[in-house]
Amino acid sequence: MFFRLILGLVLGYVAYRVLRRLKEMFTLTGQTRQAPKVPEPDVLVQDPVCETFIPRQEALKITKDGQEYFFCSEGCLKRFQRGGREKVEK
Ligand SMILES: [Zn+2]
């Protein structure tokens, strides 16, 4: 019985932490973004590594040589950074 009580407390605490984290994320993204550009939620961008099209908002973005690149996954990003540039055409 005691164990159950502890378990309940732990679960309650975890739920509390998760909710707080979510709330923080929302307030952070709402406040710290400086002058957000016009949002383009439906724009598709192309991953230069695997040539997949992904929604811009879900893509991983890096800026290199003043140009923005978008990736479907961290794996592609790393591959790109390691020099998988053959496929990139400027
Ligand atoms: Zn990819």
Side-chain angles (χ1 to χ4, degrees):
M1 287 210 304
F2 185 66
F3 176 72
R4 276 204 163 186
L5 186 69
I6 298 284
L7 193 71
L9 282 174
V10 168
L11 283 178
Y13 179 70
V14 168
Y16 169 75
R17 286 292 300 265
V18 168
L19 282 176
R20 254 194 90 172
R21 173 62 66 87
L22 282 176
K23 211 174 161 190
E24 266 172 31
M25 276 168 63
F26 272 110
T27 47
L28 274 181
T29 48
Q31 284 172 358
T32 54
R33 271 195 193 165
Q34 304 153 343
K37 290 168 190 171
V38 183
E40 299 166 281
D42 297 316
V43 173
L44 286 177
V45 288
Q46 192 177 21
D47 183 325
V49 177
C50 65
E51 296 179 340
T52 306
F53 286 93
I54 15 164
R56 190 180 166 136
Q57 287 207 324
E58 290 171 28
L60 296 167
K61 186 181 116 182
I62 61 161
T63 308
K64 194 172 180 180
D65 301 327
Q67 199 176 334
E68 291 178 335
Y69 296 96
F70 298 90
F71 303 92
C72 69
S73 68
E74 220 169 295
C76 284
L77 194 154
K78 281 176 183 162
R79 239 168 91 188
F80 179 79
Q81 285 177 325
R82 262 184 288 159
R85 289 193 71 173
E86 305 88 56
K87 281 184 172 182
V88 182
E89 289 168 14
K90 272 199 166 178

